[in-house]
Amino acid sequence: MKIFLTAILLLCLPGLALLAQDRPISGVIVDSLTRAPLSGATVVLNPGSRTTFSGENGQFKFGKVNAAETAIIISAVGYEKKQILLHNTYPGEVIELAVHETQLSDVVVYANSGNPYKTISDADIKMRGVSNSQEVLRIVPGLFIGQHQGGGKAEQIFLRGFDADHGTDISLNVDGMPINMVSHAHGQGYADSHFIIPETIESTDYKKGSYDAEKGDLVTSGFVDFHTADAISGNLIRVEGGQFDTYRALAMVDLLGDRYKAKGQSWYVASEYRFSNSYFDNPQHFNRLNIFSKFSTRLSGNTRLLLSASVFHSSWFASGQIPDQAIDQGIVGFYGALDPNEGGVTSRNNINAQFITSFKNNGILKNQFYYSRYKFDLHTDFTFFLEDPVNGDEIRQKEKRNLYGYHGSYLYEHYLGNIKLTSKIGLDARLDVTDSSELSHTKNRYTLLNRIKLGNINELNTGAYVSETFQFNEKFSINAGLRFDEFAYHYQNLFAGDTTFNGTGKYRASNHSLSPKLNFYEQLSSKTELYLSLGKGFHSNDARVVVAEKGTGTLPSAYTGDFGVVYKPFDNLLFNASLWYIYLQKEFVYGGDGGTVDFSGRTRRVGADLSARYQPVKSILFDLDLNYAHGRAIDEPDGQNYIPLAPVLSSTAGITYSGKSGINASFRYRYLSKRPANEDYSLTAIGYFINDVVLNYTQRKYEIGLTINNIFNVKWKETQFDTVTRLKNEVTPVDGIAFTPGTKFAALAHISYFFR
């Protein structure tokens, strides 16, 4: 009898499997420890190569499968690969992936991911790690940063031949909320990311160029999106201490525990406090406090709520920028300060709510609402006694701001014959209400000498987009998108002495831009992806520029193109290389430091990027990024057409070791070549080559570590500017380089305790 029943069962199994294959295959992928959904996981039908990726709720879906396809293989960087037989699945099944040590072999080259940088970004943040808040930005290949107020101000950003100042030509976001501040008192797009606690970042997405329809303002050279963890697997307490009176304390605590995670709920809080006098001769007295909390839950079977809130406050003194002649004359040392009153205070409080709904047709509806309360008060002195030989040229930039925003999108996957269509539509709205944006001439920080600018700014940016991806087969797909942006600017001038405007009162202007996008992805083999991206974007400007020019020509077009390849010849070797082009129609730039409008004409930038990752054995990873850019002003004569401070040749590389004994370490370099400091290259911004080391000993319950920046104690200039200055005893102004020194040899030790 048993033999008979077994024979019947064996005969029926193929039919049962076939019946299972007559229905769509769907599921939800989650982390086995945190139970948080995993987006971007690769799901492959086997045998064959039909592939899809999990969405924001971790869901995936295939249409009707053929009889030959019997299993799905699920993989994600940092997780164990899993194979599931189709006859063992049911619709909407929750599939858990277990965390394991990240390997380069986990990275899948697949053209239809829609982002050629995904293969690099997936690996880097998990295999290289992030040791500090600056390293968060440096994870992007080719992106360089410079700090010229010791950690208080937003970093100066360089990418693809752009000196993007503090964020003018690059969009930075965290959990879908913008970091950049438009029409800022210090400059357009000012992006202070110091309110992000590095240990909360789970992943980073980035893309160079303006090729995504869902990205609008500030995406001239590219964008960077940070994603904080929806849940944490355990608790962490960390203390740090090092040279120059540098201290930091960090805590991350899971408030609900595993019992609630099993129900789809999580809530954790993270906080950090940092103090440092830094390496400058003038003690910085830098203080920073961050508190971040995130709650996630399922409101229904198919809707998730992600709710986060954060508090950030920072204050500091700064050494400021030092003219070369002050060093040459022995007035001040390389790490000295000419005006010890420079520095500032800033704060930002955020609330961010995301509602993500999955439908049975595999559609995803996302609604996001966010709010920020922001304050900024900065004192700087760039020219010293150039304008006022008696009191000096110290300035104060100050503002208070309410930022309101909404993102809404709907993504739907369907089929037209054998062509898979992924349709996405979206709406964006952002309103910045800035109170008393101020530029003043001051002395000793708080003595007001005279106003330069004072006013209230309202800026509304609304956008709508549509994006369609045509996946013709497993080898080739096309993405086409169209975006429309509308800007409305209101400026209330409160200072009658501002010569830019005809008296006090309200000034209004508006403009708009239509931006088409087109991307081609070709899978030549399982090892090689080719891509061609074309897109139109725009260069946005400060509201005070726009209303002064009555909107005319103040939203110039930017045209970008990329041709590249992702190549993985072996499981342990990965390349990403591209040739790129950026044409910018013209620029109006609001100079927040002087309250003036500077104009430059057309510019053209071309370049090449190369990234390589190599893991000869499981414990060792080599990484290399090499970037070249050639930029010129088109309408200026040869020799007068250099783009000031535009990076030319840059490179970063490192070796990371992760041993089974718990010892892990990295040795890295950063190289930035010399570059023109002004239009005729009569002044040079000197390049630098410095090295950093990280050494950790990690066990299940604790970690002990040491980070050393600039291990060879190189004397280098981190930021440099062509500045006309006059020192107190000088009769004639000097046009030369003013700089902020980079860090000396700086060692920082830490100890961490992990518990559940």
Side-chain angles (χ1 to χ4, degrees):
M1 186 65 177
K2 290 181 179 180
I3 295 175
F4 175 75
L5 290 175
T6 302
I8 293 295
L9 181 60
L10 290 173
L11 289 171
C12 289
L13 276 177
L16 292 173
L18 186 59
L19 285 173
Q21 293 162 350
D22 284 336
R23 57 180 171 82
I25 303 299
S26 63
V28 177
I29 304 171
V30 302
D31 182 300
S32 63
L33 288 177
T34 65
R35 303 288 296 179
L38 294 178
S39 63
T42 305
V43 187
V44 182
L45 278 169
N46 188 42
S49 58
R50 279 212 288 163
T51 305
T52 191
F53 296 89
S54 57
E56 290 195 64
N57 272 354
Q59 79 291 347
F60 69 91
K61 182 179 180 180
F62 287 101
K64 183 178 178 180
V65 300
N66 60 57
E69 294 168 324
T70 59
I72 54 173
I73 299 174
I74 304 169
S75 62
V77 175
Y79 292 88
E80 290 183 359
K81 186 179 294 186
K82 196 166 192 176
Q83 176 174 298
I84 300 176
L85 298 178
L86 294 186
H87 68 262
N88 288 335
T89 67
Y90 58 88
E93 179 180 0
V94 176
I95 301 170
E96 298 181 3
L97 293 188
V99 175
H100 82 146
E101 185 179 358
T102 304
Q103 301 293 320
L104 200 58
S105 57
D106 296 334
V107 176
V108 177
V109 176
Y110 187 68
N112 291 322
S113 68
N115 185 354
Y117 299 100
K118 175 180 169 58
T119 52
I120 296 289
S121 63
D122 280 354
D124 277 356
I125 200 165
K126 293 186 178 180
M127 299 185 74
R128 283 171 44 187
V130 175
S131 60
N132 55 56
S133 58
Q134 288 187 330
E135 200 68 29
V136 173
L137 283 171
R138 291 187 182 129
I139 210 78
V140 179
L143 190 152
F144 269 65
I145 58 175
Q147 175 57 246
H148 53 102
Q149 284 241 354
K153 274 173 68 174
E155 281 79 16
Q156 185 181 9
I157 302 174
F158 303 93
L159 180 66
R160 283 205 160 174
F162 279 90
D163 169 14
D165 195 37
H166 298 287
T168 302
D169 298 290
I170 182 171
S171 172
L172 304 180
N173 308 272
V174 57
D175 291 336
M177 180 178 64
I179 298 172
N180 304 75
M181 294 293 178
V182 296
S183 302
H184 189 271
H186 188 65
Q188 171 70 342
Y190 185 87
D192 184 354
S193 60
H194 295 124
F195 67 90
I196 307 172
I197 300 175
E199 287 83 357
T200 64
I201 296 176
E202 184 175 63
S203 63
T204 304
D205 294 330
Y206 53 83
K207 206 169 185 179
K208 302 173 188 178
S210 52
Y211 309 121
D212 283 24
E214 61 188 271
K215 299 293 184 182
D217 195 13
L218 302 169
V219 191
T220 314
S221 62
F223 71 85
V224 183
D225 289 347
F226 303 114
H227 306 282
T228 61
D230 292 344
I232 59 176
S233 57
N235 306 310
L236 164 66
I237 295 177
R238 179 179 178 129
V239 292
E240 302 175 2
Q243 291 177 276
F244 316 119
D245 301 320
T246 300
Y247 308 99
R248 179 177 181 249
L250 166 74
M252 294 179 65
V253 179
D254 184 353
L255 299 176
L256 294 182
D258 294 341
R259 183 164 60 93
Y260 285 90
K261 287 175 185 173
K263 300 177 183 179
Q265 293 184 346
S266 173
W267 185 19
Y268 71 92
V269 63
S271 64
E272 69 163 353
Y273 172 74
R274 178 179 171 84
F275 175 86
S276 180
N277 276 324
S278 197
Y279 53 89
F280 305 106
D281 294 344
N282 182 45
Q284 191 180 9
H285 300 306
F286 174 79
N287 284 271
R288 182 166 72 215
L289 174 67
N290 268 325
I291 302 174
F292 174 78
S293 186
K294 193 170 189 179
F295 174 75
S296 64
T297 188
R298 290 195 174 275
L299 299 179
S300 64
N302 61 345
T303 298
R304 291 177 67 223
L305 166 65
L306 299 174
L307 182 64
S308 61
S310 62
V311 174
F312 161 72
H313 184 274
S314 182
S315 64
W316 69 96
F317 288 87
S319 69
Q321 294 165 200
I322 306 169
D324 278 345
Q325 76 264 26
I327 305 294
D328 298 337
Q329 297 173 24
I331 297 173
V332 69
F334 191 81
Y335 300 96
L338 290 171
D339 185 349
N341 294 304
E342 292 192 64
V345 179
T346 188
S347 64
R348 180 170 179 172
N349 303 323
N350 305 301
I351 298 175
N352 189 6
Q354 300 178 70
F355 300 85
I356 306 172
T357 302
S358 303
F359 297 97
K360 291 182 179 180
N361 64 0
N362 211 36
I364 302 175
L365 176 65
K366 184 174 181 180
N367 287 285
Q368 177 179 12
F369 304 88
Y370 58 84
Y371 166 76
S372 292
R373 176 61 174 169
Y374 174 77
K375 295 181 181 180
F376 177 83
D377 191 356
L378 180 68
H379 299 263
T380 49
D381 192 349
F382 301 111
T383 55
F384 305 104
F385 293 90
L386 177 68
E387 303 293 338
D388 188 337
V390 177
N391 298 299
D393 299 345
E394 182 184 279
I395 60 173
R396 182 183 194 183
Q397 296 163 323
K398 184 181 179 183
E399 71 165 55
K400 293 180 287 186
R401 177 187 304 243
N402 289 306
L403 168 60
Y404 309 88
Y406 168 76
H407 291 307
S409 65
Y410 179 69
L411 183 146
Y412 173 52
E413 295 180 353
H414 51 114
Y415 286 85
L416 181 63
N418 293 324
I419 301 174
K420 180 181 177 182
L421 303 179
T422 303
S423 307
K424 188 172 186 179
I425 58 173
L427 294 171
D428 300 321
R430 168 180 177 163
L431 175 63
D432 289 75
V433 181
T434 304
D435 177 33
S436 300
S437 183
E438 173 187 345
L439 174 62
S440 300
H441 179 198
T442 58
K443 182 179 180 180
N444 300 327
R445 278 211 175 198
Y446 299 111
T447 301
L448 174 65
L449 298 177
N450 60 276
R451 299 277 188 202
I452 302 173
K453 281 191 176 294
L454 180 66
N456 300 326
I457 306 170
N458 286 7
E459 182 173 334
L460 175 64
N461 173 206
T462 54
Y465 66 88
V466 58
S467 175
E468 191 74 48
T469 301
F470 304 84
Q471 185 177 332
F472 295 97
N473 50 49
E474 300 308 307
K475 304 294 184 181
F476 182 63
S477 65
I478 297 175
N479 168 261
L482 187 65
R483 181 180 179 89
F484 178 79
D485 282 279
E486 177 79 23
F487 292 86
Y489 309 90
H490 296 249
Y491 182 62
Q492 182 182 14
N493 182 29
L494 301 177
F495 176 50
D498 187 346
T499 57
T500 307
F501 302 97
N502 296 318
T504 58
K506 296 181 179 180
Y507 297 82
R508 292 180 172 84
S510 63
N511 49 31
H512 60 269
S513 178
L514 189 65
S515 304
K517 322 285 184 178
L518 189 60
N519 300 274
F520 302 88
Y521 304 100
E522 173 74 19
Q523 187 89 23
L524 295 183
S525 69
S526 61
K527 300 177 179 179
T528 309
E529 169 196 352
L530 288 179
Y531 60 93
L532 173 64
S533 296
L534 304 168
K536 175 182 175 291
F538 54 87
H539 176 85
S540 65
N541 287 284
D542 189 284
R544 287 157 288 197
V545 176
V546 179
V547 298
E549 297 292 329
K550 298 181 180 178
T552 305
T554 53
L555 206 62
S557 299
Y559 297 91
T560 61
D562 263 71
F563 176 68
V565 59
V566 181
Y567 180 48
K568 193 179 182 187
F570 309 105
D571 281 348
N572 62 351
L573 181 62
L574 175 64
F575 293 100
N576 186 316
S578 67
L579 301 173
W580 56 267
Y581 172 91
I582 300 176
Y583 167 83
L584 196 57
Q585 194 176 43
K586 59 180 176 179
E587 297 181 38
F588 285 88
V589 178
Y590 174 75
D593 299 332
T596 59
V597 178
D598 300 321
F599 169 76
S600 65
R602 298 179 298 163
T603 58
R604 180 189 295 116
R605 294 167 173 87
V606 295
D609 296 337
L610 172 66
S611 294
R613 305 292 183 264
Y614 176 52
Q615 191 174 24
V617 294
K618 288 185 176 181
S619 59
I620 296 176
L621 173 71
F622 292 94
D623 65 271
L624 168 69
D625 296 312
L626 184 63
N627 309 94
Y628 171 75
H630 179 275
R632 293 292 186 269
I634 297 174
D635 300 319
E636 301 298 327
D638 289 346
Q640 305 290 322
N641 60 346
Y642 293 95
I643 301 175
L645 299 180
V648 179
L649 182 63
S650 63
S651 178
T652 60
I655 177 173
T656 303
Y657 171 79
S658 301
K660 291 183 178 180
S661 63
I663 296 176
N664 52 89
S666 70
F667 178 77
R668 305 194 57 75
Y669 78 71
R670 280 176 280 149
Y671 168 70
L672 185 64
S673 70
K674 67 178 184 179
R675 57 204 189 280
N678 55 3
E679 289 82 356
D680 62 4
Y681 212 158
S682 59
L683 291 173
T684 300
I686 300 172
Y688 57 81
F689 183 95
I690 60 171
N691 301 89
D692 303 324
V693 170
V694 176
L695 178 64
N696 295 316
Y697 179 67
T698 307
Q699 295 297 303
R700 187 173 64 88
K701 289 286 188 179
Y702 66 91
E703 178 182 87
I704 301 172
L706 177 67
T707 299
I708 302 176
N709 294 315
N710 192 7
I711 190 170
F712 298 116
N713 203 25
V714 175
K715 186 177 285 189
W716 60 294
K717 298 177 179 180
E718 186 163 16
T719 58
Q720 301 168 72
F721 303 91
D722 171 17
T723 310
V724 179
T725 62
R726 182 165 61 184
L727 304 181
K728 190 167 187 177
N729 298 318
E730 287 182 330
V731 177
T732 305
V734 176
D735 184 0
I737 294 293
F739 71 94
T740 299
T743 182
K744 302 177 182 179
F745 176 101
L748 184 72
H750 77 264
I751 183 168
S752 302
Y753 174 59
F754 312 110
F755 62 100
R756 293 181 64 83

